[in-house]
Coordinates of all heavy atoms in Angstrom, one line a residue:
M1 N 0.9 -1.1 0.0 CA -0.1 -0.1 -0.1 C 0.8 1.3 0.1 O 1.8 1.4 0.8 CB -0.9 0.0 1.3 CG -1.6 1.4 1.4 SD -2.4 1.5 3.1 CE -4.0 0.8 2.7
L2 N 0.7 2.2 -0.9 CA 1.4 3.4 -0.9 C 0.6 4.6 -0.4 O -0.7 4.6 -0.5 CB 1.8 3.7 -2.3 CG 2.7 2.7 -3.2 CD1 2.8 3.3 -4.5 CD2 4.1 2.8 -2.4
R3 N 1.3 5.3 0.4 CA 0.6 6.6 0.8 C 1.5 7.8 0.8 O 2.6 7.6 0.9 CB -0.2 6.4 2.2 CG 0.7 5.7 3.2 CD 0.0 5.7 4.5 NE 0.9 5.0 5.3 CZ 1.4 5.5 6.4 NH1 0.9 6.5 7.0 NH2 2.2 4.8 7.1
S4 N 0.9 8.9 0.6 CA 1.7 10.1 0.6 C 2.3 10.5 2.0 O 1.8 10.1 3.0 CB 0.7 11.3 0.1 OG 0.3 11.1 -1.0
V5 N 3.3 11.1 2.0 CA 4.1 11.6 3.1 C 3.1 12.5 4.0 O 2.4 13.3 3.3 CB 5.4 12.4 3.0 CG1 5.9 12.9 4.3 CG2 6.4 11.5 2.1
G6 N 2.9 12.1 5.2 CA 2.1 13.0 6.1 C 0.5 12.5 6.1 O -0.3 12.9 6.8
Q7 N 0.3 11.6 5.2 CA -1.0 11.0 5.3 C -1.1 9.9 6.2 O -0.4 9.1 6.4 CB -1.4 10.3 3.9 CG -2.7 9.9 3.7 CD -3.0 9.1 2.4 OE1 -2.2 9.1 1.4 NE2 -4.2 8.7 2.2
A8 N -2.3 10.0 7.0 CA -2.4 9.0 8.1 C -2.9 7.7 7.5 O -3.7 7.7 6.8 CB -3.5 9.7 9.1
P9 N -2.5 6.8 8.3 CA -2.9 5.4 7.9 C -4.4 5.2 8.4 O -4.8 5.9 9.4 CB -1.9 4.5 8.7 CG -1.5 5.2 9.8 CD -1.3 6.7 9.3
V10 N -5.2 4.6 7.7 CA -6.6 4.3 8.1 C -7.0 2.9 8.3 O -6.2 2.0 7.6 CB -7.6 5.0 7.1 CG1 -7.4 6.5 7.2 CG2 -7.4 4.4 5.7
T11 N -8.0 2.5 9.1 CA -8.3 1.2 9.2 C -9.4 1.0 8.2 O -9.9 1.9 7.5 CB -8.8 0.9 10.7 OG1 -9.9 1.8 10.9 CG2 -7.7 1.1 11.7
G12 N -10.1 -0.2 8.2 CA -11.2 -0.5 7.3 C -12.3 0.4 7.6 O -13.1 0.7 6.8
S13 N -12.6 0.9 9.0 CA -13.5 1.8 9.2 C -13.3 3.2 8.7 O -14.2 4.1 8.9 CB -13.7 1.9 10.7 OG -12.6 2.4 11.5
G14 N -12.1 3.5 8.2 CA -11.8 4.9 7.8 C -11.4 5.8 8.9 O -11.1 6.9 8.7
K15 N -11.3 5.2 10.1 CA -10.8 6.1 11.2 C -9.2 5.9 11.5 O -8.8 4.8 11.5 CB -11.5 5.8 12.6 CG -11.1 6.7 13.7 CD -12.0 6.7 14.8 CE -11.5 7.7 15.9 NZ -12.3 7.7 17.0
D16 N -8.5 6.9 11.7 CA -7.1 6.8 11.9 C -6.9 6.1 13.2 O -7.4 6.4 14.3 CB -6.5 8.3 12.1 CG -5.1 8.3 12.2 OD1 -4.4 7.4 12.6 OD2 -4.5 9.5 12.1
P17 N -6.1 4.9 13.1 CA -5.8 4.2 14.3 C -5.0 5.0 15.4 O -5.1 4.6 16.7 CB -5.0 2.9 13.8 CG -4.4 3.4 12.4 CD -5.3 4.5 11.9
R18 N -4.3 6.0 15.0 CA -3.6 6.8 16.0 C -4.6 7.5 16.9 O -4.6 7.7 18.1 CB -2.7 7.8 15.4 CG -1.5 7.2 14.6 CD -0.7 8.1 13.8 NE -1.6 8.9 13.0 CZ -1.3 9.9 12.2 NH1 -0.1 10.4 12.3 NH2 -2.2 10.7 11.5
A19 N -5.8 8.1 16.2 CA -6.7 8.7 17.0 C -7.5 7.8 17.9 O -7.9 8.2 18.9 CB -7.6 9.5 15.9
S20 N -7.7 6.5 17.4 CA -8.4 5.5 18.3 C -7.5 5.3 19.4 O -8.0 5.1 20.5 CB -8.5 4.2 17.4 OG -9.5 4.6 16.4
A21 N -6.3 5.2 19.2 CA -5.4 4.9 20.3 C -5.3 6.0 21.4 O -5.4 5.8 22.6 CB -3.9 4.6 19.8
L22 N -5.3 7.3 20.8 CA -5.3 8.3 21.7 C -6.7 8.5 22.4 O -6.8 8.7 23.7 CB -5.3 9.8 20.8 CG -5.4 11.1 21.6 CD1 -4.2 11.1 22.7 CD2 -5.3 12.1 20.7
G23 N -7.8 8.2 21.9 CA -9.1 8.2 22.4 C -9.2 7.2 23.7 O -9.7 7.4 24.6
A24 N -8.6 6.0 23.4 CA -8.6 5.0 24.3 C -7.7 5.4 25.5 O -8.2 5.0 26.7 CB -8.2 3.7 23.7
A25 N -6.6 5.9 25.2 CA -5.6 6.2 26.3 C -6.3 7.4 27.2 O -6.2 7.4 28.4 CB -4.3 6.6 25.7
V26 N -7.0 8.4 26.5 CA -7.5 9.4 27.2 C -8.7 9.0 28.1 O -8.8 9.3 29.3 CB -8.0 10.7 26.3 CG1 -8.9 11.6 27.0 CG2 -6.7 11.3 25.6
S27 N -9.5 8.2 27.5 CA -10.6 7.5 28.2 C -10.2 6.8 29.5 O -10.7 7.0 30.7 CB -11.4 6.5 27.4 OG -12.1 7.2 26.4
R28 N -9.1 6.0 29.4 CA -8.5 5.4 30.6 C -8.1 6.3 31.7 O -8.4 6.1 32.8 CB -7.3 4.4 30.1 CG -6.7 3.8 31.3 CD -5.4 3.1 31.0 NE -4.7 2.6 32.1 CZ -3.5 2.2 32.0 NH1 -2.9 2.0 31.0 NH2 -3.0 1.7 33.2
L29 N -7.3 7.3 31.2 CA -6.7 8.3 32.3 C -7.9 9.1 32.8 O -7.9 9.2 33.9 CB -5.7 9.2 31.6 CG -5.1 10.3 32.6 CD1 -4.5 9.5 33.8 CD2 -4.1 11.1 31.8
R30 N -9.0 9.4 32.1 CA -10.1 10.1 32.6 C -10.7 9.2 33.7 O -11.2 9.7 34.7 CB -11.1 10.4 31.5 CG -10.8 11.5 30.7 CD -11.6 11.8 29.4 NE -12.3 13.1 29.6 CZ -13.1 13.6 28.7 NH1 -13.4 12.9 27.7 NH2 -13.7 14.7 28.9
R31 N -11.0 8.0 33.4 CA -11.5 7.0 34.4 C -10.8 6.8 35.6 O -11.3 6.9 36.7 CB -11.8 5.7 33.7 CG -13.1 5.5 32.8 CD -13.2 4.0 32.5 NE -12.1 3.3 32.0 CZ -11.6 3.2 30.9 NH1 -12.1 3.9 29.8 NH2 -10.6 2.5 30.5
E32 N -9.4 6.7 35.5 CA -8.7 6.5 36.7 C -8.6 7.8 37.4 O -8.5 7.8 38.7 CB -7.2 6.0 36.2 CG -7.3 4.7 35.7 CD -5.9 4.1 35.4 OE1 -4.9 4.6 36.0 OE2 -5.8 3.0 34.7
L33 N -8.5 9.0 36.7 CA -8.6 10.3 37.5 C -9.8 10.5 38.2 O -9.8 10.8 39.4 CB -8.3 11.4 36.3 CG -8.3 12.9 37.1 CD1 -7.2 13.0 38.0 CD2 -8.2 13.8 35.9
A34 N -11.0 10.1 37.7 CA -12.3 10.3 38.3 C -12.3 9.3 39.6 O -13.0 9.7 40.5 CB -13.3 10.0 37.3
G35 N -11.7 8.1 39.4 CA -11.8 7.2 40.4 C -10.8 7.4 41.6 O -10.8 6.8 42.6
N36 N -9.8 8.5 41.3 CA -8.8 8.6 42.4 C -9.2 9.6 43.4 O -9.7 10.7 43.1 CB -7.6 9.4 41.7 CG -6.5 9.5 42.6 OD1 -6.5 10.2 43.6 ND2 -5.4 8.8 42.4
P37 N -9.4 9.2 44.7 CA -10.0 10.0 45.8 C -9.1 11.0 46.2 O -9.5 12.0 47.0 CB -10.1 8.8 46.9 CG -9.0 7.9 46.6 CD -8.9 7.8 45.1
G38 N -7.8 11.2 45.7 CA -6.9 12.2 46.3 C -7.3 13.4 45.7 O -7.9 13.7 44.7
R39 N -7.0 14.5 46.5 CA -7.3 16.0 46.3 C -6.2 16.6 46.0 O -5.3 16.7 46.7 CB -8.0 16.6 47.5 CG -9.5 16.1 47.7 CD -10.2 16.9 48.8 NE -10.0 18.3 48.6 CZ -11.0 19.1 48.2 NH1 -12.3 18.6 48.3 NH2 -10.9 20.4 48.1
F40 N -6.1 17.1 44.7 CA -4.9 18.0 44.3 C -5.4 19.1 43.6 O -6.4 19.1 42.8 CB -3.9 17.1 43.6 CG -4.5 16.3 42.5 CD1 -4.4 16.7 41.2 CD2 -4.9 15.0 42.7 CE1 -4.9 15.9 40.1 CE2 -5.5 14.2 41.8 CZ -5.4 14.7 40.4
P41 N -4.8 20.3 43.8 CA -5.4 21.5 43.2 C -5.5 21.7 41.8 O -6.3 22.5 41.3 CB -4.3 22.6 43.7 CG -3.1 21.8 44.0 CD -3.4 20.4 44.4
D42 N -4.7 21.0 41.0 CA -4.7 21.1 39.5 C -5.6 20.0 38.9 O -5.4 20.0 37.5 CB -3.3 21.1 38.9 CG -2.6 22.4 39.5 OD1 -3.1 23.4 39.7 OD2 -1.3 22.2 39.6
R43 N -6.4 19.4 39.6 CA -7.2 18.3 38.9 C -8.0 18.9 37.8 O -8.3 18.3 36.7 CB -8.1 17.7 40.1 CG -9.1 16.7 39.4 CD -10.2 16.1 40.4 NE -9.5 15.3 41.5 CZ -9.4 14.0 41.5 NH1 -9.9 13.2 40.4 NH2 -8.8 13.2 42.3
G44 N -8.6 20.0 38.0 CA -9.5 20.7 37.0 C -8.7 20.9 35.6 O -9.2 20.7 34.6
I45 N -7.5 21.3 35.9 CA -6.6 21.6 34.6 C -6.4 20.3 33.9 O -6.5 20.1 32.6 CB -5.3 22.0 35.1 CG1 -5.4 23.6 35.6 CG2 -4.3 22.0 33.9 CD1 -4.2 24.1 36.3
A46 N -6.2 19.2 34.6 CA -6.0 17.9 34.0 C -7.2 17.5 33.4 O -7.2 16.9 32.1 CB -5.6 16.8 35.1
E47 N -8.4 17.7 34.0 CA -9.6 17.3 33.4 C -10.0 18.1 32.0 O -10.5 17.4 31.1 CB -10.9 17.3 34.4 CG -10.7 16.4 35.5 CD -11.7 16.7 36.6 OE1 -12.1 17.8 36.8 OE2 -11.8 15.7 37.4
D48 N -9.7 19.4 32.1 CA -10.0 20.2 30.9 C -9.1 19.8 29.7 O -9.5 19.7 28.6 CB -9.6 21.7 31.4 CG -10.7 22.3 32.3 OD1 -11.8 21.6 32.4 OD2 -10.4 23.3 32.8
E49 N -7.7 19.6 30.0 CA -6.9 19.2 29.0 C -7.2 17.7 28.4 O -7.1 17.4 27.2 CB -5.4 19.2 29.4 CG -5.0 20.6 29.7 CD -5.1 21.6 28.6 OE1 -4.9 21.4 27.4 OE2 -5.5 22.8 28.8
L50 N -7.8 16.8 29.3 CA -8.1 15.6 28.7 C -9.3 15.7 27.8 O -9.4 15.0 26.9 CB -8.4 14.6 29.9 CG -7.1 14.0 30.7 CD1 -7.5 13.4 32.0 CD2 -6.5 13.1 29.7
A51 N -10.2 16.7 28.3 CA -11.3 17.0 27.2 C -10.8 17.5 25.9 O -11.3 17.1 24.9 CB -12.3 17.9 28.0
V52 N -9.7 18.3 26.0 CA -9.2 18.8 24.7 C -8.8 17.7 23.8 O -8.9 17.5 22.6 CB -8.1 19.9 25.0 CG1 -7.3 20.2 23.7 CG2 -8.7 21.2 25.6
L53 N -7.9 16.8 24.5 CA -7.3 15.6 23.8 C -8.4 14.6 23.3 O -8.3 14.2 22.2 CB -6.3 14.8 24.6 CG -5.0 15.6 24.9 CD1 -4.2 14.7 25.9 CD2 -4.3 15.8 23.6
A54 N -9.4 14.5 24.1 CA -10.5 13.7 23.6 C -11.3 14.2 22.4 O -11.5 13.5 21.5 CB -11.6 13.5 24.7
A55 N -11.5 15.6 22.4 CA -12.1 16.2 21.2 C -11.2 16.1 20.1 O -11.7 15.9 18.9 CB -12.3 17.7 21.6
M56 N -9.9 16.2 20.2 CA -9.0 16.0 19.1 C -9.0 14.6 18.5 O -8.8 14.4 17.3 CB -7.5 16.5 19.5 CG -7.4 18.0 19.4 SD -5.5 18.4 19.5 CE -5.5 19.1 21.1
A57 N -9.1 13.7 19.4 CA -9.2 12.3 19.0 C -10.5 12.0 18.1 O -10.5 11.2 17.2 CB -9.1 11.4 20.2
Q58 N -11.5 12.6 18.5 CA -12.8 12.5 17.8 C -12.8 13.3 16.5 O -13.5 12.7 15.4 CB -14.0 13.1 18.7 CG -14.3 12.1 19.7 CD -14.7 10.6 19.4 OE1 -15.5 10.6 18.5 NE2 -14.2 9.8 20.0
G59 N -12.2 14.3 16.3 CA -12.3 15.2 15.3 C -11.2 15.0 14.3 O -10.2 14.3 14.7
G60 N -11.3 15.5 13.0 CA -10.4 15.1 12.0 C -8.8 15.3 12.4 O -8.4 14.4 13.0
Q61 N -8.1 16.1 11.9 CA -6.7 16.2 12.1 C -6.3 17.0 13.3 O -6.4 18.1 13.4 CB -6.1 17.0 10.9 CG -4.7 16.6 10.4 CD -4.4 15.2 10.2 OE1 -4.8 14.2 10.8 NE2 -3.5 15.0 9.2
P62 N -5.7 16.3 14.4 CA -5.4 17.0 15.6 C -4.1 17.8 15.5 O -3.2 17.5 14.5 CB -5.0 15.7 16.5 CG -4.9 14.6 15.8 CD -5.5 14.9 14.4
D63 N -4.1 18.9 16.2 CA -2.8 19.7 16.2 C -1.8 19.2 17.1 O -2.0 19.2 18.3 CB -3.4 21.0 16.8 CG -2.2 22.2 16.8 OD1 -1.1 21.9 16.7 OD2 -2.6 23.3 17.0
I64 N -0.8 18.8 16.6 CA 0.2 18.0 17.3 C 0.9 18.9 18.4 O 1.0 18.4 19.6 CB 1.4 17.5 16.4 CG1 0.7 16.5 15.5 CG2 2.6 16.9 17.2 CD1 1.6 16.0 14.3
Q65 N 1.2 20.1 18.2 CA 1.7 21.0 19.0 C 0.6 21.2 20.3 O 1.1 21.3 21.5 CB 2.1 22.5 18.5 CG 3.3 22.3 17.7 CD 4.5 22.0 18.2 OE1 4.6 20.9 18.9 NE2 5.5 22.6 18.0
R66 N -0.6 21.4 20.0 CA -1.5 21.5 21.0 C -1.6 20.3 21.9 O -1.8 20.4 23.1 CB -2.8 22.0 20.4 CG -4.0 22.2 21.5 CD -3.7 23.3 22.3 NE -4.9 23.6 23.2 CZ -4.8 23.2 24.5 NH1 -3.9 22.6 25.1 NH2 -5.9 23.5 25.2
M67 N -1.5 19.1 21.1 CA -1.6 17.9 21.9 C -0.5 17.7 22.9 O -0.6 17.4 24.0 CB -1.6 16.6 20.9 CG -2.9 16.5 20.2 SD -2.9 15.0 19.1 CE -1.4 14.3 19.0
R68 N 0.8 18.1 22.5 CA 1.9 18.1 23.3 C 1.8 19.2 24.5 O 2.2 18.8 25.6 CB 3.2 18.4 22.5 CG 3.5 17.2 21.7 CD 4.8 17.5 20.9 NE 5.1 16.3 20.2 CZ 5.7 16.4 18.9 NH1 6.1 17.5 18.5 NH2 5.9 15.4 18.2
R69 N 1.1 20.2 24.1 CA 1.0 21.3 25.2 C 0.1 20.7 26.2 O 0.3 20.7 27.5 CB 0.3 22.5 24.7 CG 0.1 23.6 25.7 CD -0.3 24.9 25.1 NE -0.7 25.8 26.1 CZ -1.8 26.0 26.9 NH1 -2.8 25.1 26.5 NH2 -2.1 27.0 27.7
S70 N -1.1 20.1 25.9 CA -2.1 19.4 26.8 C -1.4 18.3 27.6 O -1.6 18.3 28.7 CB -3.2 18.8 25.7 OG -4.0 19.8 25.5
L71 N -0.5 17.5 26.9 CA 0.1 16.4 27.6 C 0.9 17.1 28.7 O 1.0 16.6 29.7 CB 1.0 15.5 26.6 CG 1.8 14.5 27.3 CD1 0.9 13.5 27.8 CD2 2.5 13.8 26.2
L72 N 1.7 18.1 28.4 CA 2.7 18.7 29.5 C 1.7 19.3 30.6 O 2.1 19.1 31.9 CB 3.5 19.8 28.8 CG 4.5 19.3 28.0 CD1 5.3 20.5 27.2 CD2 5.6 18.6 28.8
L73 N 0.7 19.9 30.3 CA -0.2 20.4 31.4 C -0.8 19.3 32.3 O -0.8 19.4 33.5 CB -1.4 21.3 30.8 CG -0.8 22.7 30.2 CD1 -2.0 23.3 29.4 CD2 -0.4 23.5 31.4
I74 N -1.2 18.2 31.7 CA -1.7 17.2 32.4 C -0.6 16.5 33.2 O -0.9 16.2 34.4 CB -2.3 16.0 31.4 CG1 -3.5 16.6 30.6 CG2 -2.7 14.8 32.1 CD1 -3.9 15.7 29.5
A75 N 0.5 16.3 32.6 CA 1.7 15.7 33.4 C 2.0 16.6 34.6 O 2.2 16.1 35.8 CB 2.9 15.6 32.6
G76 N 2.0 17.9 34.5 CA 2.2 19.0 35.6 C 1.1 18.8 36.6 O 1.4 19.0 37.7
A77 N 0.0 18.6 36.1 CA -1.3 18.7 37.0 C -1.3 17.4 37.9 O -1.7 17.5 39.1 CB -2.6 18.9 36.3
I78 N -1.1 16.3 37.3 CA -1.0 15.0 38.0 C 0.2 14.2 38.3 O 0.3 13.1 38.9 CB -2.0 14.0 37.4 CG1 -1.6 13.6 36.0 CG2 -3.4 14.6 37.3 CD1 -2.4 12.5 35.3
G79 N 1.3 14.9 38.0 CA 2.7 14.3 38.1 C 2.9 13.6 39.2 O 3.6 12.6 39.4
S80 N 2.5 14.1 40.5 CA 2.9 13.6 41.7 C 2.0 12.5 42.2 O 2.2 11.9 43.2 CB 2.9 14.7 42.8 OG 1.6 15.3 42.9
V81 N 1.0 12.2 41.4 CA -0.1 11.1 41.7 C 0.5 9.8 41.0 O 0.1 9.6 39.8 CB -1.5 11.4 41.4 CG1 -2.4 10.4 41.6 CG2 -1.9 12.7 41.9
S82 N 1.3 9.1 41.8 CA 1.9 7.9 41.0 C 1.0 6.9 40.6 O 1.2 6.2 39.6 CB 3.0 7.3 42.0 OG 2.4 6.8 43.2
A83 N -0.1 6.7 41.2 CA -1.2 5.8 40.8 C -1.7 6.1 39.2 O -2.2 5.1 38.7 CB -2.3 5.7 41.7
L84 N -1.6 7.2 38.9 CA -1.9 7.6 37.4 C -0.8 7.5 36.4 O -1.1 7.8 35.2 CB -2.6 9.0 37.5 CG -3.7 9.2 38.4 CD1 -4.3 10.7 38.4 CD2 -5.0 8.3 37.9
G85 N 0.3 7.2 37.0 CA 1.5 7.2 36.0 C 1.3 6.2 34.8 O 1.6 6.7 33.6
P86 N 0.9 5.0 34.9 CA 0.8 4.1 33.8 C -0.2 4.6 32.7 O 0.1 4.6 31.6 CB 0.4 3.0 34.4 CG 1.0 2.8 35.8 CD 0.8 4.3 36.2
A87 N -1.2 5.2 33.3 CA -2.3 5.8 32.4 C -1.9 7.0 31.5 O -2.1 7.2 30.4 CB -3.6 6.1 33.1
L88 N -1.1 7.8 32.4 CA -0.4 8.9 31.7 C 0.6 8.6 30.7 O 0.6 9.2 29.6 CB 0.3 9.9 32.9 CG 1.0 11.2 32.3 CD1 -0.1 12.0 31.6 CD2 1.5 11.7 33.6
M89 N 1.4 7.6 31.0 CA 2.3 7.1 29.9 C 1.7 6.7 28.8 O 2.2 6.8 27.6 CB 3.2 6.1 30.5 CG 4.3 6.6 31.4 SD 5.3 8.0 30.8 CE 6.1 7.2 29.5
Q90 N 0.5 6.0 28.9 CA -0.3 5.5 27.7 C -0.8 6.9 26.8 O -0.6 6.6 25.6 CB -1.6 4.7 28.1 CG -2.3 4.0 27.0 CD -3.5 3.2 27.5 OE1 -3.8 3.1 28.6 NE2 -4.1 2.6 26.4
V91 N -1.3 7.8 27.4 CA -1.6 9.1 26.7 C -0.3 9.6 26.0 O -0.4 10.0 24.8 CB -2.2 10.0 27.6 CG1 -2.4 11.4 27.0 CG2 -3.4 9.6 28.2
R92 N 0.8 9.5 26.8 CA 2.0 10.2 26.1 C 2.4 9.4 24.9 O 2.6 9.8 23.8 CB 3.2 10.1 27.1 CG 4.3 10.7 26.4 CD 5.6 10.2 26.9 NE 6.7 10.7 26.1 CZ 7.9 10.8 26.3 NH1 8.3 10.3 27.6 NH2 8.8 11.3 25.6
H93 N 2.3 8.0 24.9 CA 2.7 7.2 23.8 C 1.7 7.2 22.5 O 2.1 7.3 21.5 CB 2.8 5.7 24.2 CG 3.9 5.2 25.2 ND1 5.2 5.6 24.7 CD2 4.0 4.8 26.3 CE1 5.9 5.2 25.8 NE2 5.2 4.7 26.8
A94 N 0.4 7.5 23.0 CA -0.6 7.8 22.0 C -0.3 9.2 21.3 O -0.4 9.2 20.1 CB -2.0 7.8 22.5
V95 N 0.2 10.2 21.9 CA 0.4 11.5 21.4 C 1.8 11.4 20.5 O 1.8 11.9 19.4 CB 0.6 12.5 22.6 CG1 1.3 13.7 21.9 CG2 -0.7 12.8 23.2
D96 N 2.6 10.6 21.0 CA 3.8 10.3 20.2 C 3.5 9.5 18.8 O 4.3 9.8 18.0 CB 4.9 9.5 20.9 CG 5.6 10.2 22.0 OD1 5.3 11.5 22.1 OD2 6.2 9.6 23.0
L97 N 2.5 9.0 18.6 CA 2.2 8.2 17.5 C 1.9 9.3 16.3 O 2.1 9.0 15.1 CB 0.9 7.4 17.6 CG 1.0 6.2 18.4 CD1 -0.4 5.5 18.6 CD2 2.0 5.2 17.9
F98 N 1.6 10.5 16.8 CA 1.3 11.5 15.7 C 2.6 12.3 15.3 O 2.6 13.1 14.4 CB 0.3 12.5 16.2 CG -1.0 12.0 16.3 CD1 -1.4 11.4 17.5 CD2 -1.9 12.2 15.3 CE1 -2.7 11.0 17.6 CE2 -3.2 11.6 15.4 CZ -3.6 11.0 16.6
G99 N 3.7 11.9 15.8 CA 4.9 12.6 15.5 C 6.0 12.3 16.6 O 5.7 12.2 17.7
Q100 N 7.2 12.4 16.2 CA 8.3 12.2 17.1 C 8.2 13.2 18.2 O 8.2 14.4 18.0 CB 9.7 12.3 16.5 CG 10.8 11.8 17.2 CD 10.6 10.2 17.6 OE1 9.6 9.6 17.1 NE2 11.6 9.7 18.3
S101 N 8.3 12.7 19.4 CA 8.3 13.6 20.6 C 9.6 14.5 20.8 O 10.7 13.8 20.5 CB 8.1 12.8 22.0 OG 8.1 13.6 23.0
P102 N 9.7 15.7 21.1 CA 10.9 16.4 21.2 C 11.8 16.0 22.4 O 12.8 16.4 22.4 CB 10.4 17.9 21.3 CG 9.1 17.8 21.8 CD 8.4 16.5 21.4
G103 N 11.1 15.4 23.4 CA 12.0 14.9 24.5 C 11.1 14.3 25.6 O 9.9 14.2 25.4
P104 N 11.7 13.9 26.6 CA 10.7 13.3 27.6 C 9.9 14.3 28.4 O 10.2 15.3 28.5 CB 11.9 12.6 28.6 CG 13.2 13.5 28.4 CD 13.0 14.0 27.0
V105 N 8.8 13.7 28.8 CA 7.8 14.6 29.6 C 8.3 14.3 31.1 O 8.4 13.2 31.6 CB 6.3 13.9 29.4 CG1 5.4 14.6 30.3 CG2 5.9 14.1 28.1
R106 N 8.5 15.3 31.7 CA 8.8 15.3 33.1 C 7.9 15.9 34.1 O 7.1 16.7 33.7 CB 10.2 16.1 33.3 CG 11.3 15.4 32.4 CD 12.6 16.1 32.8 NE 13.5 15.7 31.8 CZ 14.4 14.7 31.8 NH1 14.3 13.9 33.0 NH2 15.2 14.5 30.9

């Protein structure tokens, strides 16, 4: 199968599998965040940015720079909640599917 540079691969359903992976990862992190009883001041920021990523996964072509910005804000907001680490890494890997990451998320 030949495709143009920059053209997203598609599944038989016509949906970009990277967007599906991002949507699944965001859903997981949202569920785990909702189920986490801990109180932390930036929870609202994480929830807002997860909503942004979810919308990008649902809609056409996501803005890679905006996705990375959202990822950084989420990581900053929940970074100290170790229980959410694996789900956060899944989101990071899903974002990385859209283009090479410039460096580690800290």
Side-chain angles (χ1 to χ4, degrees):
M1 166 192 271
L2 294 175
R3 45 182 177 121
S4 301
V5 174
Q7 182 181 0
V10 293
T11 62
S13 67
K15 183 166 183 177
D16 185 340
R18 300 172 303 170
S20 296
L22 179 60
V26 167
S27 291
R28 175 185 173 195
L29 184 52
R30 286 174 115 174
R31 282 190 312 275
E32 291 188 20
L33 181 59
N36 187 295
R39 291 185 49 111
F40 47 97
D42 294 330
R43 179 185 287 266
I45 293 169
E47 291 168 347
D48 290 347
E49 294 303 321
L50 284 167
V52 168
L53 288 176
M56 281 194 245
Q58 289 295 315
Q61 207 52 326
D63 177 348
I64 296 169
Q65 293 296 50
R66 180 62 175 104
M67 287 185 349
R68 289 185 180 141
R69 179 179 181 273
S70 290
L71 180 61
L72 288 172
L73 289 168
I74 293 165
I78 65 173
S80 65
V81 182
S82 61
L84 299 174
L88 177 61
M89 287 307 296
Q90 185 181 1
V91 173
R92 183 207 172 164
H93 292 302
V95 168
D96 285 348
L97 293 174
F98 288 90
Q100 195 63 1
S101 177
V105 174
R106 298 190 193 265

